[in-house]
């Protein structure tokens, strides 16, 4: 797959992904979450794991290309 993606831009676009904004300034991006199949419970679990008790206390939550989520405060 890597070999093809390097040589063909259409395949590269299908295979490669970019980080996706899941929440911003205390608001969940519900359509994006649905598209990425992320639940509200998963977002709050990541917040709790990062020591944040309220969504409004996080600047943003980002879904990384490897499937993990990063909380920016």
């Amino acid at each position: 797959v890597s070999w093809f993606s390097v040589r063909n831009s259409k395949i590269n676009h299908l295979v490669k992904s970019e980080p996706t904004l899941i929440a911003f300034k205390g608001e969940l991006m519900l359509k994006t979450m649905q598209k990425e199949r992320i639940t509200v419970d998963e977002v709050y679990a990541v917040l709790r794991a990062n020591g944040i008790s309220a969504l409004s206390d996080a600047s943003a939550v980002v879904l990384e290309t490897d499937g993990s989520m990063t909380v920016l405060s």
Side-chain angles (χ1 to χ4, degrees), residues 2 5 10-12 15 18 22-23 26 28 30-31 35 37-38 40 47-52 56 60 68-69:
S2 297
S5 69
K10 290 181 182 178
I11 293 175
N12 186 24
V15 174
E18 295 180 4
I22 299 296
L28 293 171
L30 295 174
K31 287 184 181 181
K35 178 183 168 199
R37 298 181 181 170
I38 301 293
V40 174
L47 291 171
R48 285 191 304 273
N50 283 275
I52 297 174
S56 59
S68 65
M69 284 189 263

Side-chain angles (χ1 to χ4, degrees), residues 12-32:
N12 186 24
H13 178 70
L14 291 173
V15 174
K16 300 294 179 183
S17 62
E18 295 180 4
T20 305
L21 194 61
I22 299 296
F24 184 67
K25 293 186 179 179
E27 291 189 34
L28 293 171
M29 309 296 183
L30 295 174
K31 287 184 181 181
T32 303

Side-chain angles (χ1 to χ4, degrees), residues 1 3-5 8-9 16 19 23-24 31-32 34 37 42 44-45 51 53 55 61 63-64 67:
V1 174
W3 186 85
F4 285 113
S5 69
N8 188 317
S9 63
K16 300 294 179 183
F24 184 67
K31 287 184 181 181
T32 303
Q34 184 177 19
R37 298 181 181 170
E42 289 174 310
Y44 280 103
S53 58
L55 183 59
V61 179
L63 177 64
E64 301 293 351

